Amino acid sequence: MGKEDVQCIKKIKKVVSVVAWTPIAKPLNGTLPRSKNSTMLRLAPVEYTYKHGKEVKSGRVETYLIKGLRGALRHSAMSLLREAGLEVCHSSDKEATQEGKALIPEGFHPLGACEKDPCILNRIFGWMRHQSRIAVYADPIGCPKHKTFAADVPLQPVQIATENRVALTFDHEAIQDFGERYFSGEFRFHIDVSALEPEELGLVIQSAMTLHRLGRGFNAGYGHIKIQQLTLEQVTTERRLQWDGNGSFRVEETESREPLHQEVLDALQAFQLYLNAQTGES
Amino acid sequence: MYCVLIGHTSTPIVKPKAEFCWKGTLVRISHTLISTPDHLSTIYTRPPLRRYYGKLTVGKPSFLYVYRCYYGYVYVIFPVRTPRAGARKLKYLLQHDQMGRFAQEGMGRVRWLGGFFTATLPPKPPRPPKLRIRKGMPPDLPESIKKLLTLAILHDLVHCNRHQSKLMSEVQIQDEELRRLAKSHHALTMNPLLLTLQKYDRIAARITRKHWSPIKTRYSWRANKKVDVQHLVRQIEAHQDNILTLYKIIKASKELDLLNESLEYGHSSLRQHLLIIANLIVTDWLKERLTLSSAGITVETP
């Protein structure tokens, strides 16, 4: 095996890192078996170490995935473009229900109707036959009991608990005595924008800045998001192989981040020019 | 020579199976972490943890857009024919950090840990043979096995201390001893016939009860018509002395398939449960795992 051939693998990508804060959000996945509680998508438990006086002890925490970030970003972009007067794809590809109720609001066309000349939203987020050109992801969230925790895997500490609710109706049926898992606190998510053109990047940045809701229950006061920080970075990931004597190897990963301030301004300007050109403004 | 690249999932990989092809390699997700080729066969013994990506509702069948996903340790296995080609492949694979569906939404993120080279791959552990449902019973069954089979088929169709008849109407068993045994098939007992039946009942329940899905009636999720229970009861009562005919009636009955074996498992079938018990008994007797002695029936325990 040519060990010298695979010493270092470098991967460069452009990422928008967003720091957001929520008082309470419920990006739920579904109901657990034998339970009335709706919960977020549970991931593998993470083991961590913490300091207890002079001792170092170990603990374990359940982790969850924040679902629906890409959908929230898409809806933010949709409302942004609608306010600017551009007709873009809606999230539904059906115009009306079987009963004749219209599904597409004014200012949108059905998803994928612009297949020959794709709109900017279609180009970024894709649809049934076209893959999205951005990837939105966040590190797992967890609620470790100990403040001095240190884990080998990335983990975002937030408050996670269950809200107990009673006597609600849904779809004209009473739902009583159920619980919903929520999280609260500051969290960070990333948008991989390596494949985007400048005006598309501008739209993604503006949409992320205007992102204000996530998960269910917005009208009841849940899922309000406040964006605190947004950075465009060039992330260089280096994976180095450390060879042992017996033919096995370990992968050591290092990551370096370099902010791209000027590119943000250029992207926003390109997006503004694109909007002007589309709406016919000078 | 083969190269095994090991990773760990940060977020679950959305795939229908825990073993799949990816970028020209074989990927296996497992719950165990190994560091040397000697323990490679253990990745098949502990399956990965499973999650469902999508909305699940208690008591209702899952939606079509609920996807299975797995997390644990990821083993990417590929053959290395020449060192140069192997290095190129390894370099290509290490540039990726996501696999499976919904990668754009943060699913299937993998952290690479390391790997090793091995000359051979261990064979997969053999699967246990499938149980085949017979078209009919063998004609030359001894009397004691016939008795056990009759009891096995009728045991859930009478009222007992644990449950009512699963046919919703009790079958009147004419044989006094069989009726007494069937009515106490959930009781603590030392009767060898009943102990044997309880063992096969447990095995069959374990085979048929797969997905927990509670239901309030005996009718299963796929039942779209009312079952004529009285006709079925009369038919069973008329042929309870002849196990060959009784088995054929149970096998041919489509209505019995619409009833549940368990109220906790809404997708289980009463007909399948009875047929599995009968077939397990017959298969064990044909393979001489069920032996007849003067004390009664004994079952070899492996």
Side-chain angles (χ1 to χ4, degrees):
Chain A
M1 184 76 192
K3 293 178 183 177
E4 60 285 345
D5 298 340
V6 212
Q7 280 301 337
C8 177
I9 293 106
K10 201 180 270 189
K11 191 180 177 185
I12 300 170
K13 58 184 178 183
K14 228 184 281 177
V15 172
V16 177
S17 294
V18 185
V19 180
W21 177 83
T22 176
I24 178 167
K26 297 174 179 176
L28 300 176
N29 183 49
T31 318
L32 284 177
R34 295 175 188 269
S35 150
K36 291 175 181 175
N37 290 349
S38 296
T39 181
M40 295 178 278
L41 184 62
R42 199 158 54 122
L43 305 178
V46 168
E47 289 185 357
Y48 63 88
T49 55
Y50 65 95
K51 284 181 183 173
H52 182 72
K54 289 181 180 177
E55 286 182 65
V56 178
K57 291 187 171 181
S58 62
R60 190 181 165 95
V61 60
E62 288 289 341
T63 58
Y64 298 90
L65 181 80
I66 306 173
K67 268 181 79 175
L69 284 169
R70 187 168 147 272
L73 191 71
R74 184 194 170 100
H75 280 271
S76 178
M78 277 164 63
S79 55
L80 191 77
L81 291 167
R82 187 193 193 183
E83 282 170 16
L86 245 69
E87 190 182 294
V88 288
C89 281
H90 192 257
S91 52
S92 165
D93 58 352
K94 289 175 187 165
E95 290 187 25
T97 58
Q98 284 185 346
E99 291 80 27
K101 188 182 168 187
L103 286 173
I104 308 290
E106 204 176 320
F108 295 107
H109 54 249
L111 179 64
C114 57
E115 192 178 4
K116 287 177 184 170
D117 182 20
C119 64
I120 187 166
L121 205 69
N122 197 328
R123 290 205 301 269
I124 297 172
F125 290 93
W127 65 297
M128 199 187 290
R129 296 171 201 167
H130 304 277
Q131 202 179 21
S132 172
R133 285 162 66 202
I134 59 167
V136 186
Y137 55 92
D139 290 335
I141 53 171
C143 184
K145 286 179 188 171
H146 309 95
K147 286 182 183 175
T148 56
F149 81 95
D152 293 338
V153 295
L155 175 69
Q156 303 194 65
V158 290
Q159 175 64 30
I160 298 175
T162 304
E163 184 200 11
N164 292 320
R165 301 181 71 176
V166 287
L168 276 181
T169 59
F170 176 73
D171 210 10
H172 307 295
E173 282 181 15
I175 307 167
Q176 292 191 335
D177 187 20
F178 64 96
E180 286 176 335
R181 207 92 168 121
Y182 69 86
F183 81 94
S184 168
E186 191 180 280
F187 65 99
R188 183 185 285 266
F189 65 94
H190 311 281
I191 311 164
D192 186 348
V193 290
S194 309
L196 295 189
E197 299 295 325
E199 69 271 12
E200 295 165 352
L201 176 59
L203 172 61
V204 169
I205 291 171
Q206 275 212 13
S207 311
M209 287 197 301
T210 53
L211 186 69
H212 66 291
R213 60 190 289 177
L214 176 72
R216 70 166 70 160
F218 182 75
N219 295 340
Y222 304 101
H224 287 257
I225 299 289
K226 195 178 173 188
I227 301 296
Q228 292 183 332
Q229 192 185 332
L230 187 143
T231 330
L232 179 66
E233 296 166 327
Q234 180 172 297
V235 181
T236 310
T237 311
E238 276 187 13
R239 294 192 175 120
R240 287 182 179 278
L241 299 191
Q242 301 291 329
W243 294 88
D244 297 339
N246 54 0
S248 59
F249 57 88
R250 282 180 292 112
V251 180
E252 286 192 353
E253 194 174 298
T254 52
E255 208 173 72
S256 62
R257 292 171 180 267
E258 188 186 333
L260 303 168
H261 299 309
Q262 188 57 43
E263 209 159 319
V264 176
L265 300 174
D266 293 348
L268 289 173
Q269 197 179 4
F271 176 57
Q272 196 55 49
L273 287 173
Y274 172 80
L275 275 185
N276 292 345
Q278 291 290 317
T279 51
E281 288 178 17
S282 57
Chain B
M1 185 179 268
Y2 294 90
C3 179
V4 180
L5 182 62
I6 306 170
H8 185 250
T9 54
S10 300
T11 52
I13 297 170
V14 183
K15 278 280 177 187
K17 299 272 179 184
E19 192 173 288
F20 54 90
C21 292
W22 177 70
K23 313 278 181 199
T25 62
L26 177 73
V27 179
R28 170 82 195 178
I29 312 170
S30 174
H31 197 58
T32 45
L33 174 63
I34 57 164
S35 53
T36 55
D38 307 336
H39 305 108
L40 197 55
S41 59
T42 57
I43 66 171
Y44 294 104
T45 52
R46 289 189 72 192
L49 296 175
R50 193 164 68 183
R51 289 281 177 270
Y52 290 94
Y53 181 79
K55 192 179 174 185
L56 281 174
T57 312
V58 168
K60 288 182 181 175
S62 64
F63 292 95
L64 290 174
Y65 48 83
V66 170
Y67 299 95
R68 237 183 247 178
C69 46
Y70 300 92
Y71 66 78
Y73 293 98
V74 180
Y75 295 87
V76 181
I77 304 166
F78 58 95
V80 178
R81 290 196 175 83
T82 61
R84 196 183 171 88
R88 202 164 53 231
K89 187 82 178 175
L90 194 58
K91 204 170 179 177
Y92 172 67
L93 293 175
L94 283 172
Q95 282 176 351
H96 295 83
D97 47 11
Q98 285 187 321
M99 55 175 75
R101 288 188 74 172
F102 302 112
Q104 262 68 25
E105 291 167 31
M107 298 297 285
R109 294 179 60 75
V110 176
R111 223 161 33 88
W112 298 116
L113 303 175
F116 51 80
F117 291 89
T118 173
T120 54
L121 288 179
K124 275 189 190 177
R127 282 189 168 189
K130 271 190 175 180
L131 177 76
R132 289 189 179 173
I133 304 293
R134 304 174 67 89
K135 285 183 182 174
M137 289 281 110
D140 51 346
L141 289 169
E143 278 305 313
S144 51
I145 296 291
K146 276 186 183 174
K147 196 174 171 185
L148 179 61
L149 282 170
T150 315
L151 183 62
I153 286 180
L154 298 178
H155 78 284
D156 271 342
L157 313 183
V158 294
H159 299 332
C160 72
N161 57 350
R162 181 80 67 87
H163 57 78
Q164 297 282 302
S165 163
K166 291 182 182 175
L167 211 50
M168 296 178 281
S169 180
E170 192 173 21
V171 173
Q172 297 299 329
I173 304 175
Q174 288 164 1
D175 190 327
E176 188 68 33
E177 192 196 350
L178 275 184
R179 185 165 71 244
R180 186 176 53 77
L181 288 173
K183 278 189 170 292
S184 57
H185 75 269
H186 276 301
L188 283 172
T189 177
M190 290 304 287
N191 187 322
L193 198 66
L194 216 49
L195 281 173
T196 316
L197 172 73
Q198 285 174 351
K199 183 201 164 203
Y200 284 111
D201 194 14
R202 279 197 298 273
I203 297 172
R206 200 172 166 190
I207 292 170
T208 50
R209 295 178 184 183
K210 279 190 174 175
H211 304 291
W212 182 81
S213 146
I215 195 166
K216 286 175 184 170
T217 67
R218 275 287 163 201
Y219 286 93
S220 73
W221 290 111
R222 59 189 179 284
N224 51 2
K225 62 175 183 179
K226 208 169 181 182
V227 176
D228 188 357
V229 177
Q230 294 305 328
H231 173 69
L232 210 56
V233 168
R234 281 196 298 274
Q235 222 177 352
I236 292 168
E237 279 176 351
H239 297 95
Q240 60 180 287
D241 296 335
N242 189 348
I243 181 63
L244 307 180
T245 324
L246 192 60
Y247 181 83
K248 279 185 181 171
I249 289 171
I250 299 289
K251 187 161 189 319
S253 171
K254 287 181 182 172
E255 293 194 320
L256 206 57
D257 202 26
L258 302 178
L259 300 177
N260 275 320
E261 184 265 321
S262 164
L263 291 179
E264 292 286 295
Y265 295 81
H267 297 280
S268 60
S269 155
L270 180 59
R271 183 184 73 162
Q272 198 70 3
H273 178 70
L274 300 178
L275 290 179
I276 285 174
I277 296 185
N279 278 278
L280 283 171
I281 293 169
V282 171
T283 313
D284 276 1
W285 181 73
L286 289 174
K287 291 187 176 177
E288 297 177 355
R289 287 196 288 251
L290 254 180
T291 50
L292 308 172
S293 64
S294 56
I297 295 170
T298 51
V299 186
E300 278 181 25
T301 48

